[in-house]
């Protein structure tokens, strides 16, 4: 065999992975192969593979007879929307995609290159955990990856897709990355599986309920996105990256838009119900304001009283943080505080301006919240907004009560521009509760008319947005239909903003 033929045969063996039969089994389970996933994720003909011919070194348990070039993971670099990206894709057809010493070394190599070059990193996970036959060296490989995830955090965007099993130590790499995608019916992740749980705690639970996509997207919050199949998941990753910069020194990519800057939507003038206890969906507000009405929501199914995600204004990506009165009246609770804080910190790390839409009656009361540490978790959101140095603009649409007013991007937390709608109510608490306290003796045994008079007086004297405007706590009270124009003008004015934090190693966010 000549050398050229040997090259071709070795490459073919690597590309064949675990063989046609195992790939077909993947397809029957609704899963794509590792290489098919890379092809869909990246721009056409842009992938350059690395370490294609790497083989494992294990010689125990008969492993010397089971050698496959590539060793169960495809690694390399390519482009998404014309911009460079590094990627790995675990191949379940080879040793169940398990992590070996050489497998980890391949992943670490591309992670190191991604960090050195300031390029996003995407991991497509479909593996059964550490390779048992290799013992501690496979565990060491995981730790090598965790270290790189940590060093790259806040420097380059890191994205994980769970496209099959992800159990034990392998879940911690995705947990450190910025965004986690999951695929319905085929993916799951957990620390210990159903069998171990049944043995230890006697709980009987399925893989799907324990660590399936809906569990992590709606209950635990460990998943950010959920897709119906592999192809849709990979397209969503491409869409997400279109909002993100390459690294923490770059600006996010702008996109030409035909949406007029001064587009005014009269529907915004009446979108807030006349009765302050009536709900409305803040997503409707967001969609009427942003470019083309396109809002790419993050954590859609978890803590629905808080809405976070990406959109564009004037073609420029922004991070949206909003209370949603359609769920829990928009109250802040443990999960929504954590959800908002994580997203704010991501935007701040990657130079993405933060636009906040505020309608919050306060923190959710109750023993479950207090015992669960709402003080500590609420402080995370407060810390995140205060720490952020990117351009920050807040719009108060209705309620801004108590400590929640302070937390949600108030002027006092270095927010640059604060607007209020005429429907805004900015106070320590709602008028009815306040009147019950302030005028308790005066209203004792009084008529309903007298009580209503005091409520109206309180709203006028203390809760009106004009009171806050007189103090400079909001920069202007605007007509709702003007919101898009005013936000774009504010962001243009803040385009070259420079703000700093006191010199320190890092802060101690209340984790």
């Amino acid at each position: 065999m000549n050398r050229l033929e040997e090259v071709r045969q070795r490459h073919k063996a690597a590309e064949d992975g675990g063989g046609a039969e195992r790939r077909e089994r993947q397809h029957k389970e609704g899963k794509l192969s590792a290489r098919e996933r890379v092809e869909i994720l990246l721009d056409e003909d842009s992938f350059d593979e690395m370490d294609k011919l790497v083989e494992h070194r294990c010689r125990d348990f008969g492993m010397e007879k089971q050698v496959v070039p590539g060793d169960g993971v495809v690694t390399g670099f390519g482009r998404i929307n014309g911009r460079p990206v590094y990627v790995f894709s675990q191949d379940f057809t080879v040793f169940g995609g398990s992590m070996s010493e050489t497998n980890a070394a391949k992943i670490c190599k591309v992670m190191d290159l991604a960090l050195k070059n300031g390029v996003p990193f995407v991991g497509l996970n479909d593996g059964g955990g550490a390779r048992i036959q290799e013992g501690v060296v496979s565990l060491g490989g995981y730790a090598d990856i965790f270290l790189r995830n940590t060093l790259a955090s806040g420097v380059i965007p890191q994205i994980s897709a769970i496209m099959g099993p992800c159990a034990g130590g392998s879940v911690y790499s995705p947990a450190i990355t910025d965004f986690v995608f999951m695929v319905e019916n085929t993916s799951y992740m957990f620390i210990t599986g159903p069998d171990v749980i049944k043995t230890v705690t006697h709980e009987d639970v399925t893989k799907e309920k324990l660590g399936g996509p809906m569990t992590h997207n709606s209950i635990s919050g460990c998943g950010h996105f959920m897709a119906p199949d592999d192809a849709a998941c990979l397209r969503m990753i491409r869409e997400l990256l279109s909002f993100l910069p390459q690294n923490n020194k770059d600006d996010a990519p702008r996109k030409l838009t035909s949406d007029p800057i001064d587009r005014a939507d009269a529907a915004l003038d009446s979108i807030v119900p006349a009765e302050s206890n009536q709900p409305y969906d803040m997503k409707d507000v967001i969609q009427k304001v942003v470019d083309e009405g396109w809002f790419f929501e993050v954590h859609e199914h978890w803590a629905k009283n808080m809405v976070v995600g990406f959109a564009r204004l004037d073609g420029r990506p922004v991070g949206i943080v909003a209370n949603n009165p359609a769920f829990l009246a928009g109250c802040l609770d443990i999960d929504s505080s954590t959800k908002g804080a994580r997203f704010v910190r991501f935007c701040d790390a990657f130079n993405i301006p933060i636009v906040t839409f505020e309608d919050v009656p306060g923190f959710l009361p109750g023993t479950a919240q207090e015992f669960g540490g709402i003080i500590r978790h609420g402080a995370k959101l407060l810390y995140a907004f205060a720490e952020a140095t990117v351009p920050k603009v807040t719009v108060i649409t209705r309620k801004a009560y108590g400590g929640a007013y302070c937390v949600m991007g108030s002027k006092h937390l270095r927010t640059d521009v604060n607007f209020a709608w005429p429907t805004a109510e900015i106070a320590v608490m709602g008028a009815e509760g306040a009147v019950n306290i302030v005028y308790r003796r005066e209203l004792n045994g009084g008529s309903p008319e007298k009580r209503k008079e005091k409520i109206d007086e309180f709203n006028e004297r203390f809760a009106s947005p004009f009171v806050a405007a007189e103090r400079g706590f909001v920069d202007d009270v605007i007509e709702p239909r003007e919101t898009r124009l005013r936000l774009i003008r504010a962001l243009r004015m803040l385009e070259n903003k420079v703000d700093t934090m006191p010199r320190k190693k890092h802060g101690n966010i209340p984790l």
Side-chain angles (χ1 to χ4, degrees):
M1 182 190 305
N2 63 45
R3 290 293 187 182
L4 287 177
E5 185 60 30
E6 183 180 2
V7 168
R8 295 184 187 115
Q9 287 197 13
R10 284 179 179 268
H11 277 253
K12 185 178 183 304
E15 291 163 8
D16 197 40
E21 184 179 334
R22 290 181 180 176
R23 283 198 302 277
E24 184 58 31
R25 198 181 306 161
Q26 285 270 97
H27 292 159
K28 287 180 180 178
E29 293 175 358
K31 297 162 65 176
L32 297 173
S33 72
R35 293 180 181 277
E36 288 169 338
R37 289 167 176 163
V38 172
E39 288 175 7
I40 293 174
L41 175 68
L42 301 180
D43 295 349
E44 189 175 357
D45 296 327
S46 71
F47 183 53
D48 282 288
E49 188 170 353
M50 301 181 69
D51 286 335
K52 190 175 184 179
L53 305 179
V54 162
E55 298 176 352
H56 72 73
R57 306 182 188 94
C58 182
R59 294 298 177 263
D60 297 311
F61 307 103
M63 289 292 287
E64 69 278 2
K65 300 174 183 176
Q66 304 178 60
V67 176
V68 179
D71 200 33
V73 65
V74 179
T75 60
F77 56 93
R79 292 183 178 272
I80 293 179
N81 301 317
R83 299 191 300 159
V85 63
Y86 284 85
V87 63
F88 78 79
S89 179
Q90 290 181 327
D91 187 350
F92 193 78
T93 70
V94 180
F95 303 116
S98 58
M99 183 69 67
S100 68
E101 178 188 16
T102 51
N103 195 304
K106 288 179 63 172
I107 294 172
C108 288
K109 181 185 287 188
V110 289
M111 292 181 78
D112 288 340
L113 286 168
L115 186 57
K116 288 176 185 177
N117 289 283
V119 171
F121 181 75
V122 180
L124 308 180
N125 297 267
D126 186 5
R131 194 172 296 175
I132 296 171
Q133 296 91 332
E134 295 200 12
V136 71
V137 294
S138 62
L139 296 178
Y142 271 132
D144 291 336
I145 293 171
F146 303 158
L147 172 63
R148 284 159 176 80
N149 286 135
T150 304
L151 295 177
S153 182
V155 182
I156 56 173
Q158 298 181 85
I159 297 171
S160 296
I162 312 301
M163 311 189 83
C166 187
S170 59
V171 299
Y172 285 115
S173 174
I176 301 172
T177 60
D178 300 305
F179 298 101
V180 176
F181 291 74
M182 297 190 73
V183 181
E184 294 177 35
N185 303 317
T186 59
S187 70
Y188 54 85
M189 58 177 176
F190 39 66
I191 298 296
T192 52
D195 294 339
V196 175
I197 287 177
K198 189 170 185 178
T199 300
V200 176
T201 69
H202 309 294
E203 295 172 282
D204 201 353
V205 64
T206 64
K207 286 182 180 180
E208 183 68 25
K209 186 175 181 181
L210 179 63
M214 185 51 78
T215 295
H216 286 306
N217 272 263
S218 66
I219 300 175
S220 75
C222 294
H224 299 81
F225 300 94
M226 185 168 61
D229 54 45
D230 282 7
C233 177
L234 298 165
R235 288 194 295 269
M236 288 172 69
I237 294 173
R238 290 177 60 90
E239 178 70 21
L240 172 61
L241 283 169
S242 74
F243 289 98
L244 309 183
Q246 291 291 91
N247 54 62
N248 63 343
K249 295 181 180 179
D250 285 353
D251 290 325
R254 298 199 178 211
K255 185 177 182 180
L256 290 175
T257 178
S258 58
D259 198 345
I261 295 168
D262 58 354
R263 173 174 56 79
D265 195 327
L268 288 171
D269 292 343
S270 57
I271 201 166
V272 175
E275 296 295 325
S276 64
N277 62 352
Q278 293 299 307
Y280 64 98
D281 196 333
M282 190 65 85
K283 292 182 193 178
D284 293 337
V285 174
I286 296 167
Q287 289 165 354
K288 291 179 186 301
V289 170
V290 300
D291 291 358
E292 326 291 348
W294 176 232
F295 176 53
F296 189 73
E297 189 171 0
V298 177
H299 264 148
E300 178 183 1
H301 305 286
W302 184 55
K304 292 185 177 183
N305 43 322
M306 173 74 79
V307 175
V308 301
F310 298 102
R312 292 182 180 87
L313 283 167
D314 195 21
R316 182 182 185 182
V318 296
I320 304 286
V321 181
N323 311 111
N324 195 353
F327 298 92
L328 288 179
C331 276
L332 290 172
D333 62 355
I334 289 171
D335 286 347
S336 63
S337 296
T338 301
K339 173 179 174 176
R342 178 183 172 92
F343 186 75
V344 166
R345 298 192 91 212
F346 175 84
C347 291
D348 186 48
F350 290 102
N351 310 313
I352 299 172
I354 299 166
V355 176
T356 303
F357 290 92
E358 181 175 358
D359 186 348
V360 58
F363 286 90
L364 185 66
T367 55
Q369 291 292 308
E370 295 292 351
F371 295 167
I374 184 62
I375 296 171
R376 171 168 45 90
H377 293 287
K380 293 177 185 177
L381 185 58
L382 167 62
Y383 189 107
F385 268 116
E387 179 187 44
T389 59
V390 292
K392 294 183 288 189
V393 184
T394 294
V395 180
I396 303 173
T397 61
R398 190 169 61 178
K399 296 175 183 175
Y401 291 168
Y405 154 73
C406 302
V407 169
M408 286 297 296
S410 66
K411 178 68 71 175
H412 319 278
L413 300 185
R414 299 195 299 177
T415 298
D416 302 292
V417 180
N418 294 64
F419 296 121
W421 286 4
T423 47
E425 306 167 19
I426 307 168
V428 173
M429 61 171 57
E432 293 200 8
V435 164
N436 289 340
I437 295 172
V438 176
Y439 299 106
R440 181 175 62 250
R441 291 181 181 176
E442 190 175 336
L443 292 176
N444 188 23
S447 66
E449 291 78 13
K450 180 69 172 177
R451 188 169 185 277
K452 184 178 185 306
E453 178 186 324
K454 290 298 183 183
I455 289 172
D456 292 341
E457 179 186 341
F458 183 89
N459 278 327
E460 185 67 28
R461 290 186 58 192
F462 299 104
S464 164
F466 299 106
V467 176
E470 289 166 7
R471 294 274 184 176
F473 295 165
V474 298
D475 298 294
D476 201 0
V477 180
I478 65 173
E479 294 185 34
R481 69 175 68 194
E482 298 176 347
T483 303
R484 173 177 168 80
L485 175 62
R486 298 301 296 271
L487 285 175
I488 289 174
R489 284 181 172 175
L491 290 170
R492 283 182 173 182
M493 180 269 293
L494 295 166
E495 192 162 355
N496 296 315
K497 174 188 174 182
V498 176
D499 203 352
T500 59
M501 292 287 287
R503 186 174 179 180
K504 53 186 171 180
K505 186 173 183 179
H506 57 71
N508 188 20
I509 186 170
L511 297 173

